[in-house]
Amino acid sequence: HTTSMEKVPDFLKGGTKVIDLSADYRLKDPAVFKEWYSVPHQQPALLKDAVYGLPEIHREKIKSARLVANPGCYPTSITLALAPVVTEDWVDLSSIIVDSKSGISGAGRKASLNTLFSEVNEGVSAYNIAVHRHTPEIEQELSALAKTNVQISFSPHLVPMTRGMLSTVYINLKHDKSVENLIEHFQKFYAEEPFVRILPLGEYANSHFTLSSNFCDIGVQVDKRNRRAIITSAIDNLIKGASGQAVQNMNLMLGISETTGLNFPGIFP
Amino acid sequence: HTTSMEKVPDFLKGGTKVIDLSADYRLKDPAVFKEWYSVPHQQPALLKDAVYGLPEIHREKIKSARLVANPGCYPTSITLALAPVVTEDWVDLSSIIVDSKSGISGAGRKASLNTLFSEVNEGVSAYNIAVHRHTPEIEQELSALAKTNVQISFSPHLVPMTRGMLSTVYINLKHDKSVENLIEHFQKFYAEEPFVRILPLGEYANSHFTLSSNFCDIGVQVDKRNRRAIITSAIDNLIKGASGQAVQNMNLMLGISETTGLNFPGIFP
Amino acid sequence: HTTSMEKVPDFLKGGTKVIDLSADYRLKDPAVFKEWYSVPHQQPALLKDAVYGLPEIHREKIKSARLVANPGCYPTSITLALAPVVTEDWVDLSSIIVDSKSGISGAGRKASLNTLFSEVNEGVSAYNIAVHRHTPEIEQELSALAKTNVQISFSPHLVPMTRGMLSTVYINLKHDKSVENLIEHFQKFYAEEPFVRILPLGEYANSHFTLSSNFCDIGVQVDKRNRRAIITSAIDNLIKGASGQAVQNMNLMLGISETTGLNFPGIFP
Amino acid sequence: HTTSMEKVPDFLKGGTKVIDLSADYRLKDPAVFKEWYSVPHQQPALLKDAVYGLPEIHREKIKSARLVANPGCYPTSITLALAPVVTEDWVDLSSIIVDSKSGISGAGRKASLNTLFSEVNEGVSAYNIAVHRHTPEIEQELSALAKTNVQISFSPHLVPMTRGMLSTVYINLKHDKSVENLIEHFQKFYAEEPFVRILPLGEYANSHFTLSSNFCDIGVQVDKRNRRAIITSAIDNLIKGASGQAVQNMNLMLGISETTGLNFPGIFP
């Protein structure tokens, strides 16, 4: 972070197209950037040009973009889980709660006490509840989709595994809705998507099945007693949550098949 | 389960005090038992006598009980997280969402494909969302505390570790409440408890620090932007969530020091 | 095992080429088969036709084979570690000791108490020391290379990870030999091999770097004080140790490029 | 290391008894210390006074010692595995090979790239083969027991778990020896030991069963075909391999029951 803020303008001047994996160009509003990242944005004008690189939402804009801001791993799993419903009038947009679980590799490869094997092994922990920097990015995308201001409560957690991420999303329904109906709604929304798989009735997302692939698996459940939808969404944080999505964006920007280089099924076990 | 239902009456007739680790005597209402466990209860009369063995809530009754129903692991971590707030008029009891993460040992020691190392390693998954059998037990205790019917949405998850459990609990606040104020509220509520530790400001529960101990660690956070309390609660599912709690109950029933045999700090790392 | 023994003849009669991943056709001598597998071999005549599918040793025979017996995972890692030295007169063939460490997936995907997550997690254990069924397969290949009868002591171990295998091989040297000299010897031996990587001086094999790839990494060390070579050899037991090697054999049998479908670098982390 | 070398003399002058967990006072010969630790020893005179703190071997000397050098974790598991046989004329002392597997906590709690979760998870690796600094300590003890110079080949490995250590020890037998006979020999040797458990026929050591305990489990096997004994030895590297052994030594030095504070069975799973 912040390094990209400085270097990107030079690349663009030279005519190079840029896919930025940092957070520097993800937020449209420089004031929101300053609020969450504590420093003023140095290139506010460029923020308007940057396209948020979630192909399932911004495919057409990505194709012609010169600067794509590749989403964070949490925002990818969460936005894909919520995009099909935040546009609907039968959900309560003020009720969104997101509980995410991530493998340790999300913390990067720097020597640190917190990510030592013996510290994180055999323990699950919460961190940065309600203050994680991926929050504004998620809210920006959900608000744009919903065409109204959307705020969420976001709680990230660390689980003792290298790769993989699962987000469990809670949203209140204004009317009764069957789980079959909701699954069908998700299937239609993502019918043409090569990398989103809607799980059948009774199955919940499991990050193990997305390991080392560019897939996002989404499971849909309804808590009838409390009229809530509970959506689980799993990705490999290093692929669909980072480099795989960057390749997907690059394919779109180059006008080649979107799935080029990404046609692998993942590994199991 | 169901085995205890049959055997317990004989033990009691013989004058033996019983601490039952199964779910058979946890629910007061035989109709609720039948709804969640699919079979009718064979000893409905005994349900009235049984005391729910959560010492922090029912200490006095446990002391004189002849039948204690030891709580499940999820209900222990969740009820301890919520007990201090469900009695308060500044919370919205209809908004409770519980997202729990458990180590694999909770599934018991029987040969099964789902709990093989290669199946669960390197993956986090949800299961039994909104239909887990621990739900009525939790709701029974919260309702008794709140003196009104309380329903929750409960989503259990499996994380790749042997022991440990973390529950993240969400509840809407009716009025603004500072995190400092909420932490103080929890500290007072559990001031005399030997096995509940309220974490200081800015810390979240981490099951690693309760590993192999009878402690329950509780972290309190407030999402000011959305006026929600987010409470994290960690235990060792096999100790405070099972056998340790049984020993704690036994100590109370025998009239000896409640912490006898439980004065170990856990292991780290 | 034993199923292949029955079915393979029918496939061959139909003109189909067969790559058998079971152990049924790996041993040349039906008496040895009976000794280690307790049942008599039903197709002793076919054993002569079967080619042991380790391309680095039997490439030319595999190309024209109609029946290839795909090696076990332990034999692959061990034979590749020892092939460059058992032909040399400066080693003591009676001194070979092999200590292997395997991930849990080698045990297969059947429900069993021994491979439950909570049983194998956080523990390293030995099993089948001196009696593992992969022993005769390894000895057959080493004996053929050395042109004399070679016996080894083989000790398999389980380590708490899903995939990966490391074999540490000990062999006494008859004369002093520098580690630089030995590494050079290995580099020459495998100079043309696409899937064997000899590590530079001071590096030891680490199964993590072969994860999800068809590579075998070999590290060479000399214990000068005791005049021993110590060779470490790492593979992914499910790829070079099973399915990847089968694809490599298939490519050879079909006359297409040996690396077809195997040109992936593995995953890290 | 080296810090203890400086501070210990002051403690001793003040009359304090010292149990040193560093390696500074483990080696009797200052020349050997310099060879393996690269610095000259500053207190060569004190080395004669220091007692090597392995109670199973030096119990009487520890009782009256003013300075006890607590053994390393590898030396504990290895010396206990070999002590019963290096004194016997039916073993070949020149043939000893030791292959050890350790959990990550042995590396200590300092921020380092090599011990990050994502580096060590899902991989098994060798390190410091034939050059590990615990080698002279092991050889010193074995030589003293055998009353002749003993050299070993020692290969340490890292496995992805927090605690636990397994050493697999190979030694050639000069005469045939049944496994039953060898097990009986070990049982007699350790008959009075509170913390050494000899496993029954057909069982191999598994570090999981020593987790969080002060026990050392030893499994004995004979490779009849090659006339070798293969001994597996498991400990918790942080307890019998460090702090637990220090407590055991302290108990002996204080003249109280040797097992005081160590009477816990470990945890499982």
Side-chain angles (χ1 to χ4, degrees):
Chain A
H1 303 313
T2 75
T3 308
S4 286
M5 200 148 57
E6 296 168 24
K7 304 273 180 183
V8 161
D10 292 339
F11 286 125
L12 293 176
K13 266 176 215 156
T16 312
K17 290 183 175 188
V18 173
I19 301 168
D20 180 16
L21 274 85
S22 85
D24 287 355
Y25 292 94
R26 292 179 191 156
L27 298 175
K28 293 291 162 206
D29 184 342
V32 175
F33 183 88
K34 198 186 166 191
E35 186 189 338
W36 289 83
Y37 288 87
S38 307
V39 292
H41 204 286
Q42 296 166 28
Q43 308 289 341
L46 261 182
L47 291 181
K48 265 170 283 175
D49 285 1
V51 176
Y52 192 75
L54 196 55
E56 289 78 6
I57 310 298
H58 299 294
R59 182 167 285 116
E60 291 312 312
K61 281 187 182 168
I62 292 166
K63 285 181 182 173
S64 55
R66 55 180 196 138
L67 171 55
V68 165
N70 214 54
C73 46
Y74 287 122
T76 296
S77 70
I78 296 163
T79 309
L80 291 176
L82 280 166
V85 294
V86 289
T87 50
E88 302 298 315
D89 58 9
W90 37 265
V91 299
D92 173 1
L93 291 173
S94 73
S95 70
I96 301 174
I97 286 172
V98 178
D99 188 296
S100 294
K101 299 91 180 159
S102 174
I104 310 299
S105 60
R109 197 186 186 189
K110 56 181 176 296
S112 120
L113 199 64
N114 289 339
T115 53
L116 291 182
F117 186 89
S118 300
E119 301 290 313
V120 295
N121 191 37
E122 290 300 292
V124 55
S125 60
Y127 73 104
N128 281 353
I129 288 180
V131 298
H132 194 283
R133 284 174 170 180
H134 281 172
T135 309
E137 191 181 318
I138 300 161
E139 293 182 346
Q140 165 184 288
E141 293 303 304
L142 297 180
S143 297
L145 286 162
K147 298 196 176 73
T148 182
N149 186 42
V150 175
Q151 286 197 164
I152 64 167
S153 285
F154 172 45
S155 301
H157 298 76
L158 287 180
V159 298
M161 60 187 197
T162 300
R163 288 157 168 246
M165 171 168 286
L166 182 74
S167 291
T168 309
V169 174
Y170 302 84
I171 188 166
N172 290 349
L173 302 175
K174 289 182 183 166
H175 316 295
D176 281 336
K177 199 92 190 160
S178 74
V179 61
E180 292 85 356
N181 190 272
L182 204 59
I183 290 176
E184 200 187 331
H185 178 75
F186 271 77
Q187 285 171 332
K188 277 184 189 157
F189 190 90
Y190 286 123
E192 305 298 320
E193 288 301 332
F195 295 118
V196 179
R197 300 186 293 206
I198 306 304
L199 299 173
L201 184 64
E203 290 193 21
Y204 307 95
N206 180 340
S207 72
H208 205 182
F209 294 110
T210 60
L211 187 62
S212 196
S213 85
N214 198 50
F215 288 109
C216 175
D217 283 359
I218 295 178
V220 178
Q221 174 63 300
V222 170
D223 180 359
K224 279 191 292 188
R225 297 161 67 247
N226 296 293
R227 220 162 63 190
R228 266 183 202 116
I230 300 166
I231 305 149
T232 50
S233 160
I235 58 170
D236 184 322
N237 59 311
L238 299 183
I239 308 212
K240 185 61 179 169
S243 58
Q245 186 138 271
V247 171
Q248 194 178 351
N249 283 322
M250 183 184 71
N251 292 340
L252 289 168
M253 292 165 85
L254 295 176
I256 63 176
S257 166
E258 187 172 342
T259 61
T260 305
L262 299 170
N263 280 315
F264 41 84
I267 61 172
F268 186 86
Chain B
H1 302 312
T2 75
T3 308
S4 287
M5 201 147 55
E6 297 167 24
K7 305 272 181 187
V8 161
D10 291 341
F11 288 124
L12 294 176
K13 268 174 215 156
T16 313
K17 291 185 175 188
V18 173
I19 301 168
D20 180 16
L21 273 85
S22 85
D24 287 355
Y25 292 93
R26 292 178 192 156
L27 298 175
K28 293 290 162 208
D29 184 343
V32 175
F33 183 88
K34 197 185 165 192
E35 184 188 340
W36 289 84
Y37 289 87
S38 307
V39 292
H41 204 285
Q42 296 166 26
Q43 310 288 341
L46 261 181
L47 291 181
K48 266 171 280 175
D49 284 1
V51 176
Y52 192 74
L54 196 55
E56 289 78 4
I57 309 298
H58 299 294
R59 181 168 285 116
E60 290 313 311
K61 283 189 180 166
I62 293 165
K63 285 179 182 173
S64 55
R66 54 179 197 138
L67 171 55
V68 165
N70 214 52
C73 45
Y74 287 123
T76 296
S77 70
I78 296 163
T79 309
L80 291 177
L82 280 165
V85 295
V86 289
T87 50
E88 302 299 316
D89 59 8
W90 38 264
V91 300
D92 174 3
L93 290 174
S94 73
S95 70
I96 300 174
I97 286 172
V98 179
D99 189 294
S100 293
K101 299 91 181 159
S102 174
I104 310 299
S105 60
R109 198 186 185 190
K110 57 181 176 295
S112 119
L113 198 66
N114 289 341
T115 53
L116 291 182
F117 186 89
S118 300
E119 301 291 312
V120 295
N121 190 36
E122 291 300 290
V124 55
S125 60
Y127 72 104
N128 280 354
I129 288 180
V131 297
H132 194 283
R133 284 174 168 181
H134 281 173
T135 308
E137 191 180 319
I138 301 162
E139 292 181 347
Q140 164 184 290
E141 293 303 305
L142 298 180
S143 297
L145 286 162
K147 299 195 175 73
T148 181
N149 186 42
V150 175
Q151 288 197 162
I152 65 166
S153 285
F154 172 44
S155 301
H157 299 75
L158 288 180
V159 298
M161 59 188 199
T162 300
R163 287 157 168 250
M165 172 168 285
L166 182 75
S167 292
T168 310
V169 174
Y170 302 85
I171 187 166
N172 290 350
L173 303 174
K174 288 182 182 165
H175 316 296
D176 280 335
K177 199 94 188 160
S178 75
V179 61
E180 291 84 357
N181 191 272
L182 204 59
I183 290 176
E184 201 187 330
H185 178 76
F186 271 76
Q187 286 171 332
K188 277 184 191 158
F189 190 92
Y190 287 123
E192 305 298 320
E193 288 301 332
F195 295 118
V196 179
R197 302 186 293 207
I198 307 303
L199 300 173
L201 184 64
E203 289 192 21
Y204 308 96
N206 181 341
S207 72
H208 205 182
F209 295 109
T210 61
L211 188 62
S212 195
S213 86
N214 199 48
F215 288 110
C216 175
D217 282 359
I218 295 178
V220 179
Q221 174 63 301
V222 170
D223 179 0
K224 280 190 291 188
R225 299 162 65 247
N226 297 294
R227 223 162 59 189
R228 266 184 201 115
I230 300 166
I231 305 149
T232 50
S233 161
I235 59 171
D236 184 321
N237 57 311
L238 299 183
I239 308 212
K240 184 62 179 165
S243 58
Q245 186 139 271
V247 171
Q248 195 178 349
N249 284 322
M250 183 184 70
N251 292 341
L252 289 168
M253 292 164 85
L254 295 176
I256 64 175
S257 166
E258 186 173 342
T259 61
T260 305
L262 300 170
N263 280 316
F264 41 84
I267 62 171
F268 185 86
Chain C
H1 302 313
T2 76
T3 307
S4 287
M5 200 148 56
E6 297 168 25
K7 305 272 180 183
V8 160
D10 292 339
F11 287 125
L12 293 175
K13 267 175 214 154
T16 312
K17 291 184 174 187
V18 173
I19 301 168
D20 180 16
L21 274 85
S22 87
D24 287 353
Y25 292 94
R26 292 179 192 157
L27 298 175
K28 292 291 161 209
D29 185 342
V32 176
F33 183 88
K34 197 185 166 193
E35 186 188 339
W36 289 84
Y37 289 88
S38 307
V39 291
H41 204 285
Q42 297 166 27
Q43 311 287 341
L46 260 183
L47 291 180
K48 266 171 280 176
D49 285 1
V51 176
Y52 192 75
L54 197 55
E56 288 78 6
I57 309 299
H58 298 295
R59 182 168 285 115
E60 291 312 311
K61 282 188 181 167
I62 293 166
K63 285 180 183 172
S64 55
R66 56 181 195 136
L67 171 55
V68 166
N70 214 53
C73 45
Y74 287 122
T76 296
S77 71
I78 295 163
T79 310
L80 291 177
L82 280 166
V85 294
V86 289
T87 50
E88 303 297 317
D89 58 10
W90 38 266
V91 299
D92 174 2
L93 290 173
S94 74
S95 70
I96 300 174
I97 285 172
V98 179
D99 189 296
S100 294
K101 298 91 181 159
S102 173
I104 310 299
S105 60
R109 196 187 187 189
K110 56 182 177 295
S112 119
L113 199 65
N114 289 340
T115 53
L116 291 183
F117 186 89
S118 301
E119 300 290 313
V120 295
N121 191 37
E122 289 301 290
V124 56
S125 60
Y127 73 103
N128 281 354
I129 287 181
V131 297
H132 194 282
R133 286 175 168 180
H134 281 173
T135 309
E137 191 180 320
I138 302 162
E139 293 182 344
Q140 164 183 288
E141 293 303 306
L142 297 180
S143 298
L145 286 163
K147 299 195 176 73
T148 181
N149 186 40
V150 176
Q151 287 196 165
I152 65 168
S153 285
F154 173 45
S155 301
H157 298 76
L158 288 181
V159 297
M161 60 187 197
T162 300
R163 289 160 166 244
M165 170 169 284
L166 182 76
S167 291
T168 309
V169 175
Y170 301 85
I171 188 165
N172 290 351
L173 302 174
K174 290 182 183 165
H175 315 296
D176 280 337
K177 200 94 190 158
S178 74
V179 60
E180 292 84 357
N181 192 271
L182 204 60
I183 290 176
E184 200 187 331
H185 178 76
F186 271 75
Q187 286 170 333
K188 276 185 192 156
F189 190 90
Y190 288 123
E192 306 297 321
E193 288 301 332
F195 294 118
V196 179
R197 301 185 294 204
I198 307 303
L199 300 173
L201 184 64
E203 290 193 20
Y204 308 95
N206 181 339
S207 73
H208 204 180
F209 294 110
T210 60
L211 186 61
S212 194
S213 85
N214 198 50
F215 288 110
C216 176
D217 282 0
I218 294 177
V220 179
Q221 173 65 299
V222 170
D223 179 358
K224 280 190 292 190
R225 298 161 66 246
N226 298 293
R227 220 163 59 189
R228 268 185 202 114
I230 300 165
I231 305 149
T232 49
S233 160
I235 59 171
D236 184 322
N237 58 313
L238 299 184
I239 309 215
K240 184 62 178 167
S243 59
Q245 187 139 270
V247 171
Q248 195 178 348
N249 284 322
M250 183 183 70
N251 292 341
L252 289 168
M253 293 164 85
L254 296 176
I256 62 176
S257 167
E258 187 172 343
T259 60
T260 305
L262 299 169
N263 280 314
F264 41 84
I267 61 171
F268 186 87
Chain D
H1 303 312
T2 76
T3 307
S4 287
M5 200 148 56
E6 297 168 25
K7 305 271 181 187
V8 160
D10 292 340
F11 287 125
L12 293 176
K13 265 175 218 157
T16 312
K17 291 186 175 188
V18 173
I19 300 168
D20 180 16
L21 275 84
S22 86
D24 287 354
Y25 292 94
R26 293 178 191 157
L27 298 175
K28 293 288 164 210
D29 185 341
V32 176
F33 183 87
K34 198 186 165 192
E35 186 188 338
W36 289 84
Y37 289 88
S38 308
V39 292
H41 203 284
Q42 296 166 28
Q43 310 288 341
L46 261 181
L47 291 181
K48 265 170 282 175
D49 286 0
V51 176
Y52 191 75
L54 197 56
E56 289 77 6
I57 310 298
H58 299 295
R59 182 169 284 113
E60 291 313 312
K61 283 190 181 166
I62 292 165
K63 286 180 182 172
S64 57
R66 55 181 196 137
L67 170 55
V68 166
N70 213 54
C73 45
Y74 287 122
T76 296
S77 70
I78 295 163
T79 309
L80 292 177
L82 280 165
V85 293
V86 290
T87 50
E88 303 298 317
D89 58 10
W90 38 265
V91 299
D92 174 2
L93 290 173
S94 73
S95 70
I96 301 174
I97 286 172
V98 179
D99 189 294
S100 293
K101 300 90 180 157
S102 173
I104 310 299
S105 59
R109 196 185 187 191
K110 56 181 178 294
S112 118
L113 199 63
N114 289 340
T115 52
L116 291 182
F117 186 89
S118 301
E119 300 290 312
V120 295
N121 190 37
E122 290 300 291
V124 55
S125 60
Y127 73 103
N128 282 352
I129 288 181
V131 298
H132 194 282
R133 285 174 167 179
H134 282 172
T135 308
E137 190 180 320
I138 302 162
E139 293 181 346
Q140 164 183 288
E141 293 303 305
L142 297 180
S143 298
L145 286 162
K147 298 194 176 76
T148 180
N149 187 40
V150 176
Q151 287 197 163
I152 65 166
S153 285
F154 173 45
S155 301
H157 298 76
L158 287 180
V159 298
M161 59 189 199
T162 299
R163 289 159 167 246
M165 171 169 286
L166 182 76
S167 291
T168 310
V169 174
Y170 302 84
I171 188 165
N172 290 351
L173 302 174
K174 288 182 183 165
H175 315 296
D176 280 335
K177 199 93 190 159
S178 74
V179 60
E180 291 84 358
N181 192 271
L182 204 59
I183 290 176
E184 201 187 330
H185 178 76
F186 271 75
Q187 285 170 333
K188 277 184 191 155
F189 191 91
Y190 287 124
E192 305 298 320
E193 288 301 332
F195 295 119
V196 179
R197 301 185 293 206
I198 307 303
L199 300 173
L201 184 65
E203 288 192 22
Y204 308 96
N206 180 340
S207 72
H208 204 180
F209 294 110
T210 61
L211 187 62
S212 195
S213 86
N214 198 49
F215 289 110
C216 176
D217 282 0
I218 295 179
V220 179
Q221 173 64 300
V222 170
D223 179 359
K224 280 191 291 189
R225 298 161 67 245
N226 297 293
R227 221 162 58 190
R228 268 185 200 113
I230 300 164
I231 305 149
T232 49
S233 161
I235 58 170
D236 184 322
N237 59 312
L238 299 183
I239 308 213
K240 184 62 178 166
S243 58
Q245 186 139 268
V247 171
Q248 194 178 350
N249 284 322
M250 184 183 70
N251 293 340
L252 289 168
M253 294 165 84
L254 296 177
I256 63 176
S257 166
E258 186 173 342
T259 60
T260 305
L262 300 170
N263 280 315
F264 41 85
I267 61 172
F268 185 87

